[in-house]
Amino acid sequence: MRLVKSAALAVLLTGAGALAALANVGAGLVGNSVTLTSPDGATVTLYYPDASTVERQAPDGSTATGSWSVNGQDICTTFPGEEQACVTVSDTPPAPGASGEVEGEGGVTTWAVSEGKAF
């Protein structure tokens, strides 16, 4: 699960600039989902029902509920039994229709934000 958590957080929001002007870099996530697809095709979906709760569906279909918060340009996520993980928002705003890819040690992971709950 560490790989899933790391991929989800690393991919969710990478880059710099466009979101710097936003007062709350996580505003576009509320009520929406982020789907992350790892180089091996596994997907993790994060759903943000409100400004403090996040739900995660892992590749095996299991789900977990945690919390998230914004600290400047960082979005921090915590799930039970896991350490808090934060990512810095930069280039592409995390809002429906936004997508991107991030190169990591294992290859390219893609992310896409969609409206509503994607699982």
Side-chain angles (χ1 to χ4, degrees):
M1 188 53 88
R2 187 168 202 29
L3 174 62
V4 169
K5 179 178 135 186
S6 297
L9 295 171
V11 169
L12 178 58
L13 308 161
T14 21
L19 290 179
L22 295 178
N24 180 343
V25 298
L29 294 175
V30 176
N32 299 310
S33 296
V34 176
T35 300
L36 307 155
T37 305
S38 67
D40 67 1
T43 60
V44 173
T45 303
L46 301 170
Y47 170 61
Y48 300 83
D50 57 45
S52 64
T53 306
V54 61
E55 299 174 17
R56 175 180 65 200
Q57 182 179 49
D60 67 1
S62 64
T63 59
T65 300
S67 61
W68 72 286
S69 61
V70 174
N71 182 12
Q73 278 197 236
D74 291 344
I75 294 178
C76 299
T77 307
T78 306
F79 287 95
E82 300 177 12
E83 290 184 32
Q84 182 182 57
C86 298
V87 293
T88 300
V89 176
S90 17
D91 274 347
T92 305
S99 63
E101 44 182 52
V102 174
E103 273 202 55
E105 292 178 23
V108 175
T109 300
T110 61
W111 62 272
V113 183
S114 58
E115 289 186 25
K117 188 173 184 178
F119 61 92

